[in-house]
Amino acid sequence: MPAIPTFPTLRHEIAGISVGDLARAFGTPTYVYDAAKILERVEDLRPFDVIRYAQKACSSLAILDLVRRQGVVVDAVSAGEIRRALAAGYKAGGQNSEIVYTADIFDREVLDLVIQHNIHVNCGSPDMIDQLGERAPGRNITLRINPGFGHGHSQKTNTGGEQSKHGIWHAQLDDCLRRADRHGLMISGIHMHIGSGTDLEHLAQVCGSLEKTVLAVGRSVTNISAGGGLPIPYNAGQTYVDLPEYFRLWDATRKRLEEKLGHKLTLEIEPGRYLVAESGYLVSEIRAIKQMGDNTFYLLDAGFNNLARPILYGAYHPMSIVPKDGAKERPTSDVVVGGPLCESGDIFTQEEGGFVCKRTLPVASIGEFLVLERAGAYGFVMSSNYNSKPLAAEVLIQNGKAELIRERQKFEDIIRGERIPSPR
Ligand code: LLP
């Protein structure tokens, strides 16, 4: 298990490269990823037979390529993510299912794609079984089961229980088996993902429920998936989940099932956040500092168009100041940190519900850089062009070298495809 990190609020470098140099070379705001951190997290999960990266967390081609070279396979939730996986060199079809499509619907484009490329499907709705079966009878499929309970770091990331739209309701399993039979589809996998930011207590329940489901489906099952949801610490009060214990619970479930079914099962894990969150840094510049009554505001050139987690979930991201003078110490003050957007909610220091709070940070001045840390998961991928802001650049640091992996968007990219109707 990784050592519990510290959260320094002064930062000079990222993966050995000066933040000032990075900002000057690539501009701000820019996402910077430390490849070594991703590789370390991959190693933590080696006990599992299959590590399937939930690319929704950070789907840039260079990141997909990096994990692919480690033997990590991939999950896709849309036609776009399938195309990304293919573009990054993952192979479609075949026994090993390098790409699995996991979702609760097929849109028309994605149904065509999974049929054309023979991509394994993890069905999250009974209708998907019929839609696939009608066009591609005889295939193997996985069923994603909603066990009737869930857990997440926020109500918005809880994917189990009857408030959630995800997965096949556990009591509808028999109906789904009949649908699969009707089309000659074979259920080779059972998958459960109850939420993002889960814990061991819920896990034991998940394992029990998965075991029951597999036994109800029977001997066609050769793969079980633990889903994703592994948490990472975002602040000093949080820890990692006990990974050895996490594996032990799943492995014990697998072994019991192997005994009952009389054949081997592969055990898969499907993390997004765990692999990439800690590798990502959003580097921004402080462009204004102002006093509003009792509150000091640091206003950055990055906003919720770049990192939406605080406004969406009240998510906490550690922050650090990059002192221009190279200082090792600075006095601190309590400040509110916000972005450039025309909206009061564009605040990085807020709690769920939109309550603005203060953060103790080293005193900084205009033109210094502020780094939003642990932003690799659900950072860039959830960014937008709100206020006609370009998507940020992305940089990957590997073996002491920083390389641009995505150009900053240009204005022409933002308006591409738009048309002004000719006057009538
Ligand atoms: N598998 C399935 C079926 C999922 O729905 C998800 C996440 C994962 C795996 C990966 O979960 P992870 O290991 O990253 O926790 N935007 C939110 C998180 C949404 C997660 C959606 N599904 C956030 O920023 O916290």
Side-chain angles (χ1 to χ4, degrees), residues 38-39 42-43 46 53 61-74 87-90 98 396 398:
I38 299 178
L39 301 185
V42 168
E43 290 314 308
R46 288 289 184 210
Y53 175 45
L61 294 181
I63 303 294
L64 295 181
D65 174 69
L66 180 75
V67 298
R68 186 182 62 76
R69 288 173 191 280
Q70 304 306 309
V72 171
V73 293
V74 76
Y90 280 105
E98 287 189 18
L396 181 67
Q398 207 169 2

Side-chain angles (χ1 to χ4, degrees), residues 286-287 289 298 321 324 330 362-369:
I286 302 173
R287 298 297 304 159
I289 297 181
Y298 285 1
I321 300 288
K324 262 206 170 122
R330 280 255 176 112
V363 172
S365 50
I366 305 289
E368 287 191 306
F369 302 114

